Amino acid sequence: MKSYSISYILFPILLVAFLVESAGAAEGEKDGVYIVYMGAATGSSKKGHAQLMSSVLKRRKNALVQSYEHGISGFAARLSAAEAQSIAKKPGVVSVFPDPVYQLHTTRSWDFLKYGTDIVIDSRPHSDSNSSSAEYVAVIGILDTGISPESESFRGKDLGPIPSRWNGTCGDAHDFCNGKIIGARSYNSPDDDDDEGLDNAPRDTIGHGTHVASTAAGTMVTDASYYGLATGNAKGGSPGSRIAMYRVCTRYGCQGSSILAAFSDAIKDGVDILSLSLGSPASYMFDYKEDPIAIGAFHAVENGITVVCSGGNDGPSEETVTNVAPWILTVAATTIDRKFESNVVLQGKKVVKGEAINFADIGTSPVHPFLYGKSAKKTDATESEARNCNPDSMDGEMIKGKIVLCDNDDNSYTIHDKEDEVQSLGGIGLVLVDDKTSGVASNYNEFPLTVISSKDAPAILSYLNSTKNPVATILPSTVVSQYKPAPTVAYFSSRGPSSLSRNILKPDIAAPGVDILAAWMANDTEVTLKGKESPKFNIISGTSMSCPHISGMAAVIKSQYPSWSPSAIKSAIMSTASQINNMKAPITAELGAIATAYDYGAGEISTSEALQPGLVYETTTIDYLNFLCCHGYNTSTIEVISKYVPDGFTCPKESSVDMISNINYPSIAVFNLTGKQSKSITRTLTNIAGDGNSTYSLTIEATSGLTITVSPN
């Protein structure tokens, strides 16, 4: 393989400026669980780790929460604030910080990726193929809420032997391992008390982990649906890959100490891909050395594991993307070419299109009284509260027996709060006006609730104001296939730029994350219709759903090219992405504006082109070390963090965030390039197209006001 260096020179003509607010001060330290991070697990660090942990246990027998020994050195322990401060000053300690709690980023999607946006479909094996027939079988480790092994999506029959390199275990959960699921571990949070009988098994009691795992690597299940909706074949991105589940989340969140323990175990177990559909909220971003996900991912990548994380659900505001470390593959969410329509029918059979998942049974004829929430305003409520159908804002006597039109523009309450309020007052249906959520079909079970766009609201308001006795009905959901345009960037998908490192473009890539059908845990009463059996599949949305699409594709690439590094896999996925929708036009955001790299990174994943990228950008260990230098870490700290620091390595003189643009990343981001400045950016590309000579042509698409020249051309 040959490597080539390319220099990009950027000349701005127009002023481009970004304002950065400095982060607020951290909360005052207090007694509790702290994570003591001691860098990479090496021979010398293990000795210091054991001594330091021993000194803590001498003071308090039940102090230890977790110990990290594989790839990562450190531990989590119950400490006083004074103890934490004292330990932070010890030699070999990189950081000591309170144990954070992270949140979850809560069939057809793979077919859409295969046929919806790709211009050329590769006839070679791709994501549909069963990689169990290949020489190398990838193992996807998933950090989530657990898994339901009885799901048809996790059948282990005819998959062949478990990879001999696998070192994982199912612990006491022997019934979980079946050839498809080959690892299952569980981690209680520090507050759990086993004496109270809390379940410490890897079984999914939330549904999220089962959904994620089947999206990434579920085997084919025919005639899958959610009560008849989205009927088709459900399969994961890499059906032949094996699954290792690390249950780190409960209904109360995902403890950082558990996440770091799972990373440590996964490194020892020998996974190839790690998939995390969870992260911190945009309002509270951690520095890399105090972020268990960034820490664990760094050491996983050092050990050859590709780490894929969801980018968060705090969009569409800027600077909301999370999991932004350059060694992480960060995923945004997009729609697919399928919608769930639940239409409103007015008098005269006039139809207004709505979107939702509901199984309403109030008839197809418009015979039900219909009113605007504002018209039922209580005397002590504001007009805004009533038209938004906020709790305690409407007169129950006026709502009873009626379908209610509600706005959703004050952000004071959730849609489900409004639903509960209307139902509690005796309302029989709800029509919600909301442009942002109209692109995502939430599930309202039997209650007749649908979401319409603001452009359709005036027609309804005109009808309500011009009719003495307005009537309407809400139809149950139906599926609209081959919807255009698709994909679009989901409104909830967190946006860049990264608030931590603006010279690294985040998110990296986009994938389907809206209305995704996948396996679900059994006996979930919350999604079960009255009088029906519990569904085996469910439809949910979030970057939680887009993340396993990328994890599955990464596993396909790893199965076909076992020697590829995590950065080569990332580069292949990013450099072959598409920015074009199924109308051969640019991908747009939720309200129709053309999407940007801060919305979708490199673009929408291509499941065929990613297997033949031609050139890849290898981000080396030195690149990551230089990134840490430019982020403000000194050489001595970096030598503790990484086990692969070359002899004689020192941080570049005058390291600064401006130099981050020159790490060999598969995208280019330059912050605060202003006036008539020019900046030279260098990238090294490796030709993986074969032993023969290859010719590549160059296309430049520069935004207005920016001149770009490339050498060689």
Side-chain angles (χ1 to χ4, degrees), residues 10-18 670-678 706:
L10 295 83
F11 303 91
I13 298 173
L14 301 178
L15 178 65
V16 181
F18 299 92
V670 179
F671 166 62
N672 207 23
L673 187 64
T674 62
K676 295 183 178 180
Q677 287 179 312
S678 67
L706 189 68

Side-chain angles (χ1 to χ4, degrees), residues 536-595:
K536 296 180 180 179
F537 292 83
N538 195 13
I539 300 167
I540 56 176
S541 301
T543 52
S544 277
M545 285 60 257
S546 56
C547 173
H549 279 85
I550 300 298
S551 303
M553 191 64 230
V556 171
I557 297 172
K558 185 69 175 180
S559 294
Q560 192 152 329
Y561 305 107
S563 64
W564 281 19
S565 67
S567 68
I569 292 172
K570 175 192 278 191
S571 177
I573 290 172
M574 291 176 62
S575 64
T576 58
S578 172
Q579 301 83 40
I580 303 300
N581 63 24
N582 58 2
M583 297 178 69
K584 308 304 180 188
I587 293 173
T588 60
E590 72 284 349
L591 298 182
I594 294 177

Side-chain angles (χ1 to χ4, degrees), residues 443-515:
N443 188 354
Y444 304 104
N445 291 1
E446 293 94 346
F447 187 67
L449 191 159
T450 191
V451 181
I452 66 170
S453 70
S454 61
K455 67 180 178 63
D456 292 321
I460 291 182
L461 288 171
S462 177
Y463 168 67
L464 289 173
N465 292 330
S466 63
T467 308
K468 185 176 181 181
N469 296 305
V471 291
T473 193
I474 298 174
L475 302 180
S477 300
T478 57
V479 176
V480 177
S481 299
Q482 298 181 339
Y483 182 86
K484 295 180 180 181
T488 62
V489 180
Y491 82 93
F492 58 75
S493 186
S494 291
R495 293 339 200 244
S498 163
S499 61
L500 292 181
S501 302
R502 290 173 177 270
N503 288 319
I504 292 291
L505 178 63
K506 290 289 179 172
D508 291 306
I509 193 72
V514 176
D515 303 336

Side-chain angles (χ1 to χ4, degrees), residues 57-92:
L57 291 176
K58 285 179 180 178
R59 294 194 294 270
R60 193 180 306 170
K61 289 185 178 180
N62 69 337
L64 186 65
V65 174
Q66 299 285 357
S67 178
Y68 315 122
E69 300 177 5
H70 309 290
I72 308 162
S73 179
F75 58 92
R78 296 177 178 88
L79 302 172
S80 68
E83 287 174 320
Q85 291 173 359
S86 174
I87 290 173
K89 299 174 184 177
K90 301 285 186 183

Side-chain angles (χ1 to χ4, degrees), residues 1 564 612-616 686-696:
M1 295 189 292
W564 281 19
Q612 43 187 351
L615 298 170
V616 296
T686 302
N687 181 19
I688 57 170
D691 296 331
N693 293 327
S694 302
T695 301
Y696 295 92

Side-chain angles (χ1 to χ4, degrees), residues 217 303 311 371 383 494 627 661:
N303 285 273
L371 92 166
E383 183 177 295
S494 291
F627 169 83
S661 298

